[in-house]
Amino acid sequence: MTDYSETTSWTSFLKSVSSFSGDLSAFTAPPFILSPVSLSEFSQYWGTYQDLFLAIAQINKHNHEAFFPQIRSVKSPNVTRMLAVLQWYLATLKCQYTSRTQGDRFEKKPLNPFLGELFVGKWENDGSKKDDTILLTEQVSHHPPVNAFSIFNEDHNIRIQGYTQIKSSFSKTLKLNIRQNGHAILETNGHSFLITLPALHLEGIIVARPYVELEDSSYIQSSDGMIWKIDYSGKGYFSGQKNSFSAYLYKNTAAMEKRDKPLFTVSGQWSGVSTITDGNKEVLFSDVSKYKPHSLRVKPISEQHCLESRKAWDDVARAIELGDMKLISQTKSKLENEQRQLRKKEEAGNTPWQNRWFEKIDIIEEQIQPDLNGNTYNKLVALSKMAGLSTKNIQSGQKLGSREHRKCNTALHWAFIQDKWLQEEDIKV
């Protein structure tokens, strides 16, 4: 940021956040660091690489050897499927965490979705309507902020659903730490995969060039027992490379806990090139730059429902793009005040907001049983138990028996209800 006024504003912003305590979802960001895009739109990154996503559903015992011909030691479709899930997942990380900072751009704060905000669209894979992949996103809670999503392609028999609750705070060194509650569950042709969400932080804040680095570990647990453990690291002060990771595939959680030799090890940059060990040598596993991103088709704003994200935030987004600080504040305050009035009216009339396509499931109270052949809630419990991970409302990917697990007494999760979408009359994709 070269302009003096912007530099001064950034300095003032740093001073204000350095004295702020608590979850930053309650912090009012200054207009000049706002993105014109709502956080609701971020769920589309799970489906941006449609070829990789749909390929997972195409793997079977007859064709699995053709998917990774450079890896000679792959012997089963289940292993091939786990490799394909990781390959797709790494591409989603690039979309979710680096796509907004390409070139000379830097990470900005997305608009906070309001309760009931929707973002919908579809990927038209071959021009035929029946082959479209559908995206449905709904802000199911505002305090705390929770965004739920479902992506599905009926013809290819593949779907992923999940939700994210972000908790963010500044450290004394002005590093923005972000912890994610929630998960994603991928299902295709009788196979299920639990995907936990990585922790992250923003680097480069002091020099006004924020970018995301992932940290700690995340997991991908398959219903056939295999599990990926993915460790993240970044560029340190003296050494290292941005967006680095190492992923280890184990035959089951017991092998992972005993630190047995993994079936495969993949390492490199999740935003770029990675290699896989194949016997005694390394071969190329993934080069995200070679994959083709697919654009999500979203209806023109004139055809959208008033709850759809781009229509609701249109005035604010245009003000941000104009750089008109006064207009940004005016339009943003108008929308937010309207939402506050709606909540007050609902409270006064004892008519709480009704979610549209997602329901809150209490795994403890409803005594959901682990069952890989059952619905998604049962699969969440079964896969979490298989991986030794907590289902309580704590940071995603925490172990059973951890301090956070012992302290928390709730296990409330959001699940997509297909019948509610099938009965939808007002929202079209």
Side-chain angles (χ1 to χ4, degrees):
M1 303 178 79
T2 57
D3 183 80
Y4 175 77
S5 62
E6 290 186 343
T7 303
T8 303
S9 298
W10 188 267
T11 302
S12 299
F13 167 66
L14 292 179
K15 288 180 180 179
S16 66
V17 297
S18 65
S19 60
F20 184 85
S21 60
D23 185 358
L24 283 173
S25 63
F27 182 82
T28 301
F32 70 91
I33 67 165
L34 288 177
S35 164
V37 177
S38 169
L39 188 63
S40 290
E41 297 202 21
F42 285 26
S43 294
Q44 68 179 291
Y45 298 137
W46 291 98
T48 298
Y49 292 101
Q50 278 290 293
D51 291 344
L52 297 179
F53 179 65
L54 298 178
I56 298 168
Q58 297 164 8
I59 296 169
N60 58 52
K61 64 182 180 180
H62 303 293
N63 65 11
H64 73 93
E65 292 180 344
F67 280 80
F68 295 95
Q70 79 279 24
I71 309 173
R72 295 175 177 268
S73 52
V74 176
K75 302 297 183 182
S76 75
N78 286 345
V79 171
T80 301
R81 198 172 291 108
M82 282 296 273
L83 293 175
V85 169
L86 181 67
Q87 187 182 56
W88 157 79
Y89 175 70
L90 294 176
T92 73
L93 294 182
K94 176 180 171 64
C95 285
Q96 293 186 62
Y97 302 115
T98 70
S99 62
R100 298 175 301 280
T101 56
Q102 300 298 308
D104 195 40
R105 294 180 297 171
F106 60 91
E107 193 71 58
K108 291 191 174 184
K109 185 182 184 302
L111 299 166
N112 288 332
F114 56 84
L115 180 63
E117 182 175 323
L118 308 172
F119 181 68
V120 304
K122 59 185 176 182
W123 290 275
E124 298 173 321
N125 293 297
D126 65 356
S128 66
K129 186 175 181 180
K130 70 174 185 177
D131 234 4
D132 293 344
T133 301
I134 305 300
L135 164 71
L136 304 175
T137 304
E138 179 179 355
Q139 188 74 6
V140 292
S141 173
H142 189 64
H143 297 293
V146 180
N147 191 260
F149 69 92
S150 179
I151 298 173
F152 51 92
N153 186 302
E154 299 290 355
D155 282 2
H156 287 79
N157 195 23
I158 186 169
R159 65 180 60 242
I160 182 171
Q161 65 167 279
Y163 72 92
T164 305
Q165 176 189 338
I166 292 176
K167 295 184 176 182
S168 52
S169 61
F170 270 98
S171 68
K172 292 181 179 179
T173 58
L174 289 182
K175 183 173 74 171
L176 178 59
N177 298 305
I178 299 173
R179 300 292 179 264
Q180 300 190 88
N181 290 11
H183 62 267
I185 294 181
L186 175 68
E187 300 174 82
T188 181
N189 298 321
H191 303 276
S192 305
F193 305 85
L194 170 66
I195 303 166
T196 69
L197 311 177
L200 55 132
H201 64 269
L202 282 186
E203 297 275 9
I205 293 177
I206 293 178
V207 295
R209 280 289 179 269
Y211 66 91
V212 170
E213 274 287 12
L214 306 184
E215 60 185 44
D216 298 335
S217 302
S218 68
Y219 302 90
I220 301 176
Q221 174 67 61
S222 170
S223 55
D224 63 24
M226 285 184 286
I227 184 170
W228 280 110
K229 180 177 186 287
I230 309 167
D231 296 333
Y232 304 96
S233 60
K235 183 174 176 59
Y237 192 79
F238 295 105
S239 62
Q241 191 175 38
K242 286 174 62 175
N243 311 150
S244 297
F245 80 98
S246 293
Y248 309 93
L249 179 63
Y250 295 95
K251 64 179 180 180
N252 52 42
T253 305
M256 179 181 70
E257 297 295 343
K258 292 189 296 183
R259 298 187 178 182
D260 289 349
K261 182 179 179 181
L263 303 176
F264 287 100
T265 299
V266 179
S267 60
Q269 285 184 290
W270 48 262
S271 59
V273 176
S274 57
T275 59
I276 186 169
T277 54
D278 185 23
N280 295 321
K281 64 178 182 178
E282 290 187 354
V283 298
L284 178 68
F285 177 71
S286 176
D287 183 352
V288 182
S289 68
K290 303 296 184 184
Y291 306 143
K292 177 186 176 183
H294 288 71
S295 297
L296 181 74
R297 184 183 181 280
V298 180
K299 300 187 304 293
I301 288 174
S302 60
E303 299 176 17
Q304 292 182 17
H305 189 278
C306 61
L307 290 175
E308 291 188 62
S309 183
R310 292 185 183 177
K311 184 164 190 172
W313 289 102
D314 186 40
D315 289 342
V316 181
R318 283 189 287 175
I320 292 173
E321 289 167 350
L322 288 171
D324 188 328
M325 300 303 175
K326 184 177 180 180
L327 186 59
I328 293 170
S329 294
Q330 290 175 343
T331 54
K332 188 168 179 288
S333 295
K334 180 178 181 292
L335 186 149
E336 291 170 343
N337 287 333
E338 287 173 351
Q339 289 299 311
R340 292 188 189 100
Q341 292 304 313
L342 281 174
R343 302 291 85 80
K344 288 180 180 179
K345 184 177 180 180
E346 291 163 2
E347 185 177 357
N350 195 26
T351 54
W353 179 263
Q354 298 297 310
N355 294 116
R356 203 172 196 98
W357 305 313
F358 295 83
E359 286 185 359
K360 186 187 291 185
I361 307 298
D362 189 330
I363 285 177
I364 295 176
E365 185 175 309
E366 299 186 28
Q367 298 182 336
I368 301 296
Q369 297 300 313
D371 180 4
L372 291 172
N373 296 316
N375 59 31
T376 305
Y377 335 128
N378 303 81
K379 291 174 184 176
L380 168 61
V381 176
L383 291 167
S384 298
K385 183 176 181 181
M386 194 180 293
L389 300 176
S390 175
T391 58
K392 293 185 178 179
N393 298 127
I394 57 178
Q395 181 181 333
S396 185
Q398 295 297 295
K399 291 287 188 177
L400 287 169
S402 66
R403 181 183 177 186
E404 293 84 355
H405 172 80
R406 295 194 305 271
K407 287 173 61 178
C408 184
N409 296 314
T410 61
L412 304 171
H413 299 276
W414 294 92
F416 177 63
I417 308 300
Q418 180 79 16
D419 284 348
K420 288 192 172 186
W421 167 244
L422 294 176
Q423 295 166 12
E424 175 63 56
E425 296 181 353
D426 298 327
I427 309 297
K428 308 298 180 184
V429 294

